[in-house]
Amino acid sequence: MLKLLSVRLVAILVGLGFALVALYAFAIGAYNAATEEPAGHLPYKKPMDLSWSFDGPFGKWDQTQLQRGLKVYDEVCSACHSLKFVAFRDLEQLGYSEAQVKAFAASKQVPGIDPNTGEATTRPGLPTDYFPSPYPNNVAAAAANNNAIPPDLSLMTKARGDGTNYVASLLMGYAPPSEELLEEHPEAAPGPGLHHNPYFPNLNLAMAPPLTSAGQVTFDDGTEATIEQMSKDVAAFLTWTAEPTLVKRKQTGWPVLIFLLFATVLAYMSKRQIWAAVKPKK
């Protein structure tokens, strides 16, 4: 009995240790989030709190919205930004047929090798290919974008805090700085080749407004292509590129939680049954 109590005590102490470490990490993270000052002490805005179909434990993808977002990326964003971790065949998850994916891939030029000369060339894409970069290298990318290399967007919503809302807010947020802001923070004035955006930590970025007018993209489902609509659609699409298994993970989580709850109850009842006739020694 003494040995059994010792084992239980050690298990309790180990569990308590893990709990204290987790609590400490949570407290440090919460403190840093509450006290962290904006980059450069500039008063940038937090992303807008927008509504998304994939929010919450029962969220799911809106395939129509994802298809609209793909079109915004393809016709606007792909001129500067790559999606190097997304293969054309992945688009079947958005509701496209195999034939549609093949046609879409074939409309893109991807890097290839000339079989006759062995030299680098380009060829029509295949479903197994990944979205190509718009630039041959970083030097060309920087030269075309005021010495700023456009980031790959595959994981962008994971790389930024509150990523989906951040991307949508940034795309909708371009506006000249207010006079009040410039009076308090003269350094917030956009320099040569920079564009003011209150949702960007430095308030000014090299990327010009990509969405400039309503109707810039024509949606196949007839949805009106306002700047707000296009911003939200491409943000949702980039959320899918960053974590295409998001909804599946949520759907899997519920059966796992139910199983763990059932297993816990069963283990407790078994423990009561097994040790019911055992009386501790005094």
Side-chain angles (χ1 to χ4, degrees), residues 98-175:
E98 183 179 352
Q100 288 175 313
V101 170
K102 285 183 177 180
F104 183 83
S107 69
K108 309 299 178 184
Q109 291 294 311
V110 301
I113 300 295
D114 189 322
N116 298 318
T117 64
E119 296 180 350
T121 183
T122 58
R123 59 172 175 79
L126 299 172
T128 53
D129 291 319
Y130 288 76
F131 278 74
S133 172
Y135 303 105
N137 51 56
N138 287 341
V139 175
N145 293 278
N146 195 29
N147 291 323
I149 300 174
D152 180 82
L153 297 182
S154 305
L155 305 176
M156 183 55 64
T157 58
K158 288 294 183 183
R160 299 291 184 269
D162 197 12
T164 308
N165 286 328
Y166 169 79
V167 170
S169 300
L170 186 75
L171 292 174
M172 289 187 278
Y174 284 91

Side-chain angles (χ1 to χ4, degrees), residues 211-218 224-228 230:
L211 301 175
T212 56
S213 61
Q216 192 170 344
V217 173
T218 301
E224 184 181 359
T226 62
I227 292 180
E228 178 182 358
M230 290 185 289

Side-chain angles (χ1 to χ4, degrees), residues 110-281:
V110 301
I113 300 295
D114 189 322
N116 298 318
T117 64
E119 296 180 350
T121 183
T122 58
R123 59 172 175 79
L126 299 172
T128 53
D129 291 319
Y130 288 76
F131 278 74
S133 172
Y135 303 105
N137 51 56
N138 287 341
V139 175
N145 293 278
N146 195 29
N147 291 323
I149 300 174
D152 180 82
L153 297 182
S154 305
L155 305 176
M156 183 55 64
T157 58
K158 288 294 183 183
R160 299 291 184 269
D162 197 12
T164 308
N165 286 328
Y166 169 79
V167 170
S169 300
L170 186 75
L171 292 174
M172 289 187 278
Y174 284 91
S178 65
E179 294 183 1
E180 293 79 4
L181 175 65
L182 294 179
E183 288 179 2
E184 295 183 14
H185 300 275
E187 68 276 18
L194 298 180
H195 307 271
H196 183 76
N197 193 309
Y199 295 101
F200 191 70
N202 290 333
L203 295 184
N204 299 293
L205 68 165
M207 182 176 72
L211 301 175
T212 56
S213 61
Q216 192 170 344
V217 173
T218 301
F219 292 133
D220 297 332
D221 64 353
T223 300
E224 184 181 359
T226 62
I227 292 180
E228 178 182 358
Q229 186 68 56
M230 290 185 289
S231 300
K232 294 180 66 176
D233 290 344
V234 76
F237 171 70
L238 293 178
T239 302
W240 172 79
T241 66
E243 190 177 2
T245 59
L246 173 66
V247 170
K248 187 176 181 179
R249 174 171 58 80
K250 292 181 179 182
Q251 293 173 343
T252 303
W254 283 109
V256 171
L257 288 176
I258 293 173
F259 170 78
L260 291 176
L261 179 61
F262 174 76
T264 301
V265 173
L266 186 62
Y268 175 75
M269 294 176 64
S270 299
K271 179 259 183 186
R272 291 290 302 270
Q273 180 67 25
I274 293 172
W275 296 97
V278 179
K279 295 182 181 180
K281 295 181 179 180

Side-chain angles (χ1 to χ4, degrees), residues 34-51:
T35 59
E36 183 179 6
E37 294 183 345
H41 304 286
L42 293 174
Y44 71 93
K45 294 182 179 180
K46 292 184 177 180
M48 293 180 282
D49 187 14
L50 303 172
S51 177

